[in-house]
Amino acid sequence: MLDRIKSQHDSLSAAERKVSQLVLGQPNQVIQATVADIAMRAGVSQPTVIRFCRSLGCTGLPDFKLKLAGSLVAGVPYVHSSVRPGDPTSEISAKVFDNAVSALLKCRNDVSPAMLDAAIALLAKARRIEFYGLGNSGIIAADAQHKFFRFDIPAVSYADPHVQAMAASLLGPRDVLVAISTSGRSSELLDAVEIARSNRCPVVAITSSGTPLARLATVPLLADTQEDTEIYSPMLSRIVHLVMIDVLAVGVALKHGPGLSATLEKTKRSLKRRRHRADA
């Protein structure tokens, strides 16, 4: 729940952001407080507190407090240890690995099976699949294309926003666009997605919750990670997005059934003669 609040903080109203800041700073105290206490501490009205809860998908304050308490007590422990200049290599290694493992566990528990099923069903019957991503997400898109073209499905990846806009204009209802973005707020990517949607092309989005991209998508696959992308290139989200692509690829392969094995064998045979053979 705390991660959800952080990811949706910027999309809340100014008054609701005051409640958000209070909850993030004092989650245990909020669980014990009444609506009047929360409103007074945050400097907002009581109806604002209720609107804040509903903005996060809760029916009201009791439902919000119940989910927040469950998250604090039984949620996946999220290790986000900042690396410090004086850390020895062994500690740097442990922190980076722990952060990645925690991010993967959190995504595994949070991702919607129904949304995964819907995305796999769309991809399995697609005439053509296009993967769009900018910057770091463009690398994820290229990895996805590398996996899916081997299923004998026309698949391409584009990382240039101008090409994305042009290609999206040619997509239709039988195609699928997979848009990948950690922030979910890149105007160029959103423009391409809107063009595809105007042509009735279904869009699968791998992004964070509460983002414009998530709202535009036909099927949003939400992967919330806690990292400072203002300073560093996304690391945790990159790993989570790669695994999400793997889940989709395995799901589509299973949908295609045993007949896919022969197709995959063709691609493997094409590489065998390119491998160096040790002398006998």
Side-chain angles (χ1 to χ4, degrees):
M1 178 58 74
L2 291 176
D3 287 335
R4 185 187 304 177
I5 295 170
K6 289 176 184 176
S7 66
Q8 296 189 27
H9 179 82
D10 291 340
S11 64
L12 298 172
S13 68
E16 289 173 342
R17 286 199 293 271
K18 293 181 180 180
V19 184
S20 171
Q21 290 168 349
L22 176 68
V23 176
L24 292 173
Q26 306 174 30
N28 290 295
Q29 289 87 336
V30 169
I31 291 173
Q32 305 297 328
T34 65
V35 63
D37 290 337
I38 295 172
M40 181 186 67
R41 293 181 190 180
V44 299
S45 66
Q46 293 185 32
T48 297
V49 176
I50 304 303
R51 285 196 297 272
F52 165 78
C53 297
R54 290 174 178 166
S55 294
L56 292 168
C58 301
T59 57
L61 181 60
D63 183 37
F64 170 76
K65 290 165 71 173
L66 184 64
K67 289 178 179 176
L68 177 60
S71 176
L72 293 175
V73 175
V76 176
Y78 195 96
V79 181
H80 190 72
S81 306
S82 297
V83 175
R84 295 177 176 84
D87 286 347
T89 303
S90 59
E91 193 165 340
I92 293 172
S93 173
K95 287 179 178 179
V96 172
F97 273 102
D98 286 349
N99 285 343
V101 170
S102 296
L104 288 170
L105 287 174
K106 181 184 182 304
C107 185
R108 182 198 66 182
N109 290 352
D110 289 352
V111 69
S112 166
M115 291 294 102
L116 283 174
D117 282 339
I120 290 168
L122 285 173
L123 293 168
K125 65 181 182 181
R127 178 187 65 176
R128 176 183 177 85
I129 304 173
E130 295 192 355
F131 299 93
Y132 295 0
L134 298 173
N136 193 71
S137 295
I139 300 171
I140 313 299
D143 178 79
Q145 186 266 340
H146 183 69
K147 288 183 172 67
F148 275 82
F149 88 91
R150 290 181 291 178
F151 298 160
D152 199 21
I153 304 172
V156 296
S157 67
Y158 296 124
D160 182 280
H162 296 95
V163 176
Q164 289 173 355
M166 290 187 291
S169 68
L170 301 177
L171 296 175
R174 295 170 56 197
D175 307 312
V176 177
L177 166 58
V178 180
I180 307 163
S181 173
T182 301
S183 70
R185 300 178 186 280
S186 170
S187 58
E188 294 94 342
L189 182 63
L190 293 174
D191 287 344
V193 169
E194 288 178 340
I195 292 170
R197 289 302 306 270
S198 69
N199 293 332
R200 296 186 296 119
C201 173
V203 175
V204 174
I206 301 177
T207 188
S208 303
S209 57
T211 62
L213 178 57
R215 291 191 288 270
L216 272 177
T218 312
V219 180
L221 298 178
L222 305 179
D224 295 322
T225 57
Q226 186 181 15
E227 61 181 335
D228 185 359
T229 55
E230 295 298 322
I231 301 176
Y232 301 107
S233 174
M235 290 183 281
L236 299 180
S237 57
R238 173 178 56 84
I239 293 170
V240 170
H241 289 177
L242 284 169
V243 174
M244 194 78 80
I245 291 295
D246 286 348
V247 172
L248 295 176
V250 171
V252 169
L254 293 175
K255 278 275 188 185
H256 281 208
L260 183 64
S261 298
T263 302
L264 294 175
E265 182 59 29
K266 284 183 182 179
T267 63
K268 289 188 176 295
R269 282 201 306 268
S270 70
L271 295 176
K272 284 181 179 178
R273 66 176 180 270
R274 297 178 179 274
R275 290 175 181 163
H276 176 74
R277 293 185 180 181
D279 294 334

